[in-house]
Amino acid sequence: MALPATPHSPGRLVVLQALKPKRCSACRRGPLSLLVLEDDAPRCLDCADLGHLVFLPRGDTALTRRSREESGLSVVVVRFNRRKSRYERQGVLVEEPALARAEARCLADAEARRRRRARDARRRAAEDEHFAAAFAAEILRLFPGCPADRARAIAAHASARGSGRVGRSAAGRALSEGAVISAVVAAVRHVDTPYDQLLMRGVTRYEARRRIAQAVESVLRSWQETGTGVG
Ligand SMILES: [Zn+2]
């Protein structure tokens, strides 16, 4: 049975994955897994002068593209899909040194990406640290009586990357007084008052806030005074 015509322009070299076991019409070797049709006769890769090439299965787009760039000769490998009645690309045959160079380029890229990610992470960490320090300084400017470790903890919490907390908002970025005060109030509410316990007991948020308002006020007032350091 003759295979259907391949969908390639005449003269374009293409290698077929055999659907049935076939022998080379020149050297009689077989069965062949990969073959070239010459005048409808199957030839093994050696007889078709392609024996020096290695098969690279499809799937890695960058590696395939680079292997073909690096390879003086490259040939597409196709297989006929009977159900869909069409040829489907299975991979390419390329020169082995070309594949090795392409793999090296892809590895170098992966390494470069890894290093860039590490650099970015270090830069973000430095930015975070810088921002948290500025935030803590602003807390202490507004609340000189706030213990330094509390200020640092509030600033670190508020500026935690990706948390969507107040410190990360545009206002927090700008270290607006409003943003800094909100972060401090939230921290005082959770740490210095029974706010969370009230919520746990089923008290509504509004009622819980009403009950602790006085306590929050008194902590904030004490922190606004220099050096009293409550909490
Ligand atoms: Zn042969």
Side-chain angles (χ1 to χ4, degrees), residues 24-29 43-47:
C24 174
S25 61
C27 71
R28 310 306 305 165
R29 260 193 306 168
R43 290 265 200 288
C44 72
L45 295 186
D46 286 330
C47 289

Side-chain angles (χ1 to χ4, degrees), residues 42-55:
R43 290 265 200 288
C44 72
L45 295 186
D46 286 330
C47 289
D49 296 336
L50 302 174
H52 61 303
L53 302 180
V54 292
F55 179 58

Side-chain angles (χ1 to χ4, degrees), residues 112-124:
R113 277 196 299 277
R114 194 190 64 71
R115 286 184 192 192
R116 192 174 57 225
R117 275 197 301 273
R119 268 200 315 279
D120 288 350
R122 278 198 299 277
R123 199 198 57 236
R124 277 195 302 273

Side-chain angles (χ1 to χ4, degrees), residues 170-213:
R173 269 282 173 214
L175 292 176
S176 75
E177 283 194 15
V180 173
I181 290 168
S182 311
V184 172
V185 167
V188 168
R189 191 181 290 141
H190 292 293
V191 176
D192 301 288
T193 77
Y195 182 66
D196 290 355
Q197 294 93 302
L198 292 174
L199 294 183
M200 279 298 283
R201 290 210 308 264
V203 177
T204 65
R205 208 163 56 84
Y206 177 82
E207 172 61 15
R209 284 196 180 206
R210 197 191 61 77
R211 287 195 210 169
I212 60 154

